[in-house]
Structures are given as structure tokens and as C-alpha cells.
Amino acid sequence: DVKVTQSSRYLVKRTGEKVFLECVQDMDHENMFWYRQDPGLGLRLIYFSYDVKMKEKGDIPEGYSVSREKKERFSLILESASTNQTSMYLCASGLAGAPSTDTQYFGPGTRLTVL
Amino acid sequence: SQKIEQNSEALNIQEGKTATLTCNYTNYSPAYLQWYRQDPGRGPVFLLLIRENEKEKRKERLKVTFDTTLKQSLFHITASQPADSATYLCARGATNKLIFGTGTLLAVQP
């Protein structure tokens, strides 16, 4: 079974803090994704990566950056956390090829609260 | 723009009945539609993928249809059980990403 793990299930941070969310997958997948999920808005893509050191902006990249130094690990960084970044963050991975067609495997999510 | 629309109202049904969830899309037909299940506080789990040229796909008690004329996919759960209660997400492909609907909450009453 594919396993995608995220570093924290719950996280509470203060406004202005730098926040790191880590994601690790164990299936040698090329593609990795970061989403946020908010009530009524569904899943929105923040960034994705199709290879080590490669990244592409999603629909809402502002205020976020990412890092992929190793194939299995994809990190999401909030440079200066703000209250409007309070959300559920979900990481996903998938095989190489068009992300639009391939199954994505999700981690359990990190519920981030920014005070 | 390409959108996925799912009924935001919860669907309540009795155990044993068939649940039918609707996913409508805009603009051109995607090559694929995917369905995921999401339990509270957890990440979505992939259930089924249906291609544009497939009218219907089945997996155990699940059935998905793809109607390019109506621009719609229907997701059926037959002989529903309380354990089927969850939010079901539909997703379509776009350039380099999936576009997800907001999901429909299904509640199966015992």
C-alpha cells in the first residue's frame, strides 16, 4: 500500500512565524502535491513537483513556497504565517505522467491554526 | 474556466438503499473523471477512475457513469451501509493538475 505521511496532524502557530510542513511518501512516486482544504472551497492546489528540485505553482501559491530535495520528501513552507492560512493542508503523491489523469494518494492532513 | 460542481447539500438515505451522487463539469469533457472518498479529519482516498470513452465502471458495490452529452458523472453505491457515510469528491483533469469539486456528504441512516 502507498503510504503518505505528514509531519504533524495538528499545529498551532503565531502570526509571522515561519512554518514547515513535511510530507514523505514511500512509493517512489515522481509527482507530489500540496493542497489546502477549506469548507465550501474544496481542495485547492498550492504547489506541485514532478521531480526532485522541480516545482510548479498551483492555483494559490501566494504566501507559500516549497522544497523538494529528495524524491520522497516534499516540504511546504509558510514564510510568514497569517491567520488566513489557517486551514487543513493535504499532501498527495502520484506516479509520473499527467497529474490530471493519474490517481493521487493523500496523506492524513495537517490542521494548521494560526493565531 | 473548467469547473466541477457537486451538490453541496448532504444526501441522507436509509441503509440498504442505493445512494446516487452527481458530479457536473463545465466546458470540454475531461479525458478522465476520478472519485474519492474522504472521512472527517482524513485525506481523500481514491475509489474509481472512469475514462471519457467508458460509459460505466464498477467496483464491488460502486458504480460510476460518464455522460458526455449531459456533462455529468453519477456515482452509485448500492446496498448502502452506515459505514459508507463520508464525503465523496469528484475530480477532473486539467493541465498538470486535478480540479476537485467541493464534495457531497453522504449520511446512511441505520
Side-chain angles (χ1 to χ4, degrees):
Chain A
D1 276 354
V2 175
K3 191 155 187 191
V4 180
T5 56
Q6 295 184 228
S7 48
S8 306
R9 291 301 307 275
Y10 300 94
L11 209 51
V12 179
K13 295 292 181 181
R14 299 227 172 257
T15 302
E17 280 192 80
K18 191 168 186 175
V19 181
F20 293 86
L21 302 181
E22 301 279 328
C23 175
V24 178
Q25 51 96 2
D26 67 356
M27 282 301 290
D28 204 33
H29 284 166
E30 286 76 11
N31 295 330
M32 295 189 75
F33 310 84
W34 274 107
Y35 295 88
R36 64 177 283 178
Q37 187 174 33
D38 301 286
L41 296 177
L43 281 161
R44 292 182 291 167
L45 182 64
I46 304 172
Y47 268 97
F48 72 95
S49 169
Y50 51 88
D51 201 352
V52 174
K53 297 193 186 294
M54 305 303 288
K55 62 184 179 185
E56 293 280 345
K57 291 180 180 179
D59 298 314
I60 50 165
E62 297 78 19
Y64 304 95
S65 62
V66 290
S67 172
R68 193 162 180 205
E69 297 296 319
K70 293 185 178 181
K71 190 175 185 180
E72 68 270 18
R73 189 178 298 269
F74 192 34
S75 302
L76 179 70
I77 303 150
L78 286 67
E79 296 291 342
S80 177
S82 64
T83 54
N84 62 14
Q85 292 178 310
T86 292
S87 186
M88 170 71 98
Y89 289 87
L90 289 157
C91 175
S93 73
L95 290 167
S100 59
T101 57
D102 289 328
T103 301
Q104 292 186 16
Y105 299 86
F106 285 83
T110 295
R111 184 161 295 282
L112 172 68
T113 302
V114 182
L115 302 175
Chain B
S1 62
Q2 300 156 30
K3 288 185 181 177
I4 285 284
E5 294 168 351
Q6 295 183 259
N7 192 346
S8 58
E9 288 184 18
L11 178 63
N12 291 287
I13 64 167
Q14 285 296 121
E15 182 175 7
K17 301 289 185 187
T18 296
T20 299
L21 285 68
T22 303
C23 172
N24 295 298
Y25 60 87
T26 60
N27 295 329
Y28 63 86
S29 281
Y32 302 77
L33 283 168
Q34 301 187 28
W35 284 88
Y36 291 76
R37 169 183 172 142
Q38 186 174 23
D39 291 290
R42 296 184 177 273
V45 174
F46 171 77
L47 295 175
L48 281 168
L49 180 152
I50 185 165
R51 293 175 173 77
E52 186 181 16
N53 61 357
E54 295 175 319
K55 292 274 191 283
E56 183 180 296
K57 197 86 168 273
R58 289 177 186 261
K59 179 182 175 183
E60 298 172 353
R61 293 184 296 111
L62 309 180
K63 184 178 86 171
V64 174
T65 62
F66 195 157
D67 188 326
T68 55
T69 301
L70 294 178
K71 295 192 175 183
Q72 183 178 84
S73 174
L74 297 179
F75 177 85
H76 306 273
I77 306 175
T78 57
S80 60
Q81 304 165 2
D84 295 326
S85 299
T87 296
Y88 292 86
L89 304 172
C90 174
R92 68 169 290 166
T95 304
N96 285 333
K97 63 184 180 183
L98 283 175
I99 297 174
F100 285 86
T102 53
T104 298
L105 176 63
L106 172 66
V108 181
Q109 310 297 333

